[in-house]
Amino acid sequence: MNLSQHNQFSSKASQLLSWGHLFTFANIGLVLLISLSYLFADSPPTSFMGILYMLVTWLSHTSFITFIAFVLTIFPLSLIFPYPRHIRGMAAIFATCGASLLTLDAYVYFNLGYHLSSSALPEIITLLWHRLTSSPALTTLLAGGIVMLIFAFQLLASNYTWHHLARLKQYKFARYAGSLLLVCFAMSHSIHIWADANLKFDITKQDNVLPLSYPTTAKSLLAKNDLLDIESYEQAHNVKVNTQNVDYTAPTPIARCEDFNAATVDILVFSSAPALTNFAKQHKNLNKTEQFLQPVHHQDVLFSLIYGLPAYYKPALMTEQTLPVWQSNRRSISVSGFDDFNYINNTTAGDAAIRIIKADENTALREGVNQVFAFSLADVDHGIVSASSLYSTDRKVTRTEGLIQPSDLIATSVGQYLNCADIAKQSMLGVNLYNKKGDMGVNYSQGVFIAYKKDRITLIDSDGNYKNISAAQGFSIEQGLDIPFLAQSIKKLKTFTE
């Protein structure tokens, strides 16, 4: 009697394990379909090996994740609790939760560029909340519909494989498919080892495309976002952040400025900090902040100050001497004392709404000027970026929490003082300091990608090396890469490339 019960137990367990493999195989097909969205979220690889790696990794990695999920859930339950009806029901629920979570992760990755994680929780909640509040009925219907479709598929796959178990076990397709997936798994890891050793960024930039894959490095993050000049690296082993082929795409149509204010703004740029200090002593209406973050490369600072953009776009705009898209007869700008930007000036330069002036301690402000900014260019020996003093007649600006960049000054001038907020937001990456909400920003100088979040500044150089420094004190911070934040920052940097 006991032997019979044991045989019956073993038979059920054996049947459930056979069914579990077939059920998992059906889910591999579903997971492959869902994970296709990851392949279209980023720019595709350009080399044959890159495309081959993408395909074999997609096949093997997603299949491996699905199989591991089976091993950790359905497999032990089938051995401990071999009751077919209950196991099949639980398996359908587990598989629905897993596939739904993968769908959510794919949606987040497609929109934000990174996977679900605790460090990215605020950004993910913001994305989902915005989607829900913008169209609550449609979002609820789509989300609920997707979950129900997945659950229906699981029930159908579960019942079909169980009721046709004997016939399905006779087919050899599962054996051949399993062998193919094992070959793809071995190929994907072999190709990645080779690519990592030979610096093939077309392959290693795919490290973090699929969930639970290789951790992203600074190099792969830059390469994935087309910020590495891969061709130059292969030829000269000198990786440079690629700006030579950056195409600046101007926003169109430019928003209208119906409530324009005829204000005047003087932005004074000093060559030295002592000259700035002496000037400030003569003008008691200037307020001071030490939160001004600027690149040490002077031309990059002036470019950001004029265009409201990082120097990432400098080659594209300065080579063609393209005027700022926000500029018009009413929103005019003049630059004096900086020969590289003389092309900005026109016949109305003397009466320009915004003046950028190379100043000294004896510089006189124009009569009746509404707002004044004053700062000194950084010492070129201070690395890539430097925090220094900014003076302004606007007390609210100097009391702004967080760092202020040169691009923020022109964005505030156009968006707040000239009352053209939509144009400033549409055409610049600088922030109107009156509307600043988050203490984070992005910049670029001397081939180095710059992103800051609160006091921490992350610098990623042309070789893919990175370091974190304190904005206030300049000392190094021992901390790893914040991949969600950096992916979001790179996406912002490339706003005007598409």
Side-chain angles (χ1 to χ4, degrees), residues 367-385:
E367 185 177 352
V369 66
N370 296 106
Q371 299 293 344
V372 176
F373 293 112
F375 67 90
S376 61
L377 295 170
D379 190 331
V380 294
D381 295 330
H382 286 174
I384 301 298
V385 291

Side-chain angles (χ1 to χ4, degrees), residues 308-319:
L309 299 170
Y312 178 69
Y313 298 97
K314 188 175 70 173
L317 292 172
M318 287 192 67
T319 301

Side-chain angles (χ1 to χ4, degrees), residues 189-495:
H189 286 274
S190 300
I191 293 173
H192 188 274
I193 293 170
W194 168 79
D196 199 37
N198 292 276
L199 303 169
K200 300 297 182 181
F201 291 111
D202 200 39
I203 293 173
T204 56
K205 74 177 185 179
Q206 303 177 47
D207 280 357
N208 199 40
V209 172
L210 296 173
L212 302 177
S213 54
Y214 293 100
T216 297
T217 64
K219 285 185 179 180
S220 60
L221 183 67
L222 291 177
K224 188 179 78 170
N225 288 276
D226 299 323
L227 294 179
L228 284 179
D229 191 343
I230 299 172
E231 183 177 354
S232 297
Y233 186 87
E234 292 174 343
Q235 293 176 354
H237 292 275
N238 181 24
V239 180
K240 296 181 179 179
V241 180
N242 183 12
T243 60
Q244 299 301 316
N245 298 318
V246 172
D247 292 325
Y248 172 77
T249 303
T252 54
I254 291 294
R256 298 179 64 86
C257 183
E258 302 291 352
D259 300 323
F260 170 79
N261 288 340
T264 54
V265 182
D266 281 354
I267 304 177
L268 309 182
V269 183
F270 291 80
S271 300
S272 66
L276 171 64
T277 302
N278 291 334
F279 178 85
K281 289 179 180 178
Q282 301 172 33
H283 298 79
K284 302 300 183 182
N285 61 332
L286 292 176
N287 306 286
K288 182 182 179 181
T289 177
E290 297 290 348
Q291 295 286 82
F292 188 61
L293 183 71
Q294 60 173 315
V296 301
H297 192 279
H298 297 170
Q299 192 183 68
D300 290 352
V301 175
L302 294 167
F303 176 85
S304 294
L305 190 60
I306 294 169
Y307 288 89
L309 299 170
Y312 178 69
Y313 298 97
K314 188 175 70 173
L317 292 172
M318 287 192 67
T319 301
E320 301 296 329
Q321 296 191 346
T322 305
L323 298 177
V325 296
W326 58 263
Q327 185 180 9
S328 69
N329 289 333
R330 294 192 299 175
R331 299 183 299 274
S332 56
I333 182 173
S334 68
V335 182
S336 61
F338 302 103
D339 295 339
D340 291 345
F341 296 94
N342 281 339
Y343 66 89
I344 297 293
N345 300 315
N346 55 32
T347 55
T348 62
D351 299 322
I354 301 171
R355 296 196 311 172
I356 297 175
I357 306 166
K358 186 176 183 180
D360 57 41
E361 53 192 278
N362 298 318
T363 298
L365 300 174
R366 58 175 155 173
E367 185 177 352
V369 66
N370 296 106
Q371 299 293 344
V372 176
F373 293 112
F375 67 90
S376 61
L377 295 170
D379 190 331
V380 294
D381 295 330
H382 286 174
I384 301 298
V385 291
S386 176
S388 57
S389 302
L390 171 70
Y391 290 86
S392 174
T393 52
D394 191 338
R395 188 180 297 273
K396 186 169 183 177
V397 166
T398 54
R399 289 182 175 177
T400 300
E401 292 186 3
L403 299 171
I404 299 172
Q405 299 194 89
S407 56
D408 298 338
L409 303 185
I410 193 67
T412 305
S413 298
V414 175
Q416 188 65 36
Y417 305 143
L418 301 184
N419 202 27
C420 297
D422 291 340
I423 292 174
K425 184 177 181 180
Q426 181 188 25
S427 62
M428 305 179 193
L429 292 184
V431 178
N432 182 344
L433 297 174
Y434 273 65
N435 301 324
K436 188 174 183 179
K437 296 179 180 178
D439 189 8
M440 61 182 65
V442 63
N443 210 328
Y444 175 94
S445 182
Q446 302 183 70
V448 176
F449 170 69
I450 305 163
Y452 75 82
K453 189 175 186 180
K454 299 185 182 298
D455 183 60
R456 186 189 66 196
I457 302 174
T458 300
L459 307 174
I460 305 180
D461 66 17
S462 57
D463 291 321
N465 302 312
Y466 76 93
K467 66 177 180 178
N468 295 306
I469 62 174
S470 166
Q473 303 297 329
F475 57 80
S476 296
I477 301 173
E478 296 299 327
Q479 189 172 355
L481 284 173
D482 185 347
I483 294 301
F485 164 65
L486 291 176
Q488 188 179 33
S489 299
I490 290 175
K491 185 176 182 180
K492 181 178 179 181
L493 176 68
K494 299 176 65 180
T495 297

Side-chain angles (χ1 to χ4, degrees), residues 43-56:
S43 57
T46 56
S47 66
F48 171 77
M49 289 300 293
I51 295 172
L52 177 63
Y53 176 77
M54 179 182 70
L55 293 176
V56 297

Side-chain angles (χ1 to χ4, degrees), residues 109-226:
Y109 186 85
F110 196 90
N111 285 274
L112 299 178
Y114 45 80
H115 299 286
L116 295 173
S117 67
S118 57
S119 62
L121 195 58
E123 290 85 356
I124 294 170
I125 292 175
T126 300
L127 171 68
L128 299 179
W129 181 254
H130 174 73
R131 177 61 60 189
L132 180 62
T133 54
S134 60
S135 52
L138 181 60
T139 301
T140 303
L141 181 64
L142 285 175
I146 290 172
V147 173
M148 293 307 297
L149 280 174
I150 293 173
F151 185 58
F153 171 84
Q154 302 300 340
L155 291 177
L156 180 64
S158 175
N159 286 323
Y160 184 84
T161 51
W162 178 256
H163 291 299
H164 299 83
L165 183 60
R167 181 163 57 88
L168 291 173
K169 287 171 63 177
Q170 296 177 359
Y171 294 144
K172 296 182 179 180
F173 73 92
R175 186 184 309 168
Y176 295 142
S179 300
L180 174 63
L181 294 177
L182 284 175
V183 171
C184 289
F185 186 82
M187 282 183 64
S188 67
H189 286 274
S190 300
I191 293 173
H192 188 274
I193 293 170
W194 168 79
D196 199 37
N198 292 276
L199 303 169
K200 300 297 182 181
F201 291 111
D202 200 39
I203 293 173
T204 56
K205 74 177 185 179
Q206 303 177 47
D207 280 357
N208 199 40
V209 172
L210 296 173
L212 302 177
S213 54
Y214 293 100
T216 297
T217 64
K219 285 185 179 180
S220 60
L221 183 67
L222 291 177
K224 188 179 78 170
N225 288 276
D226 299 323

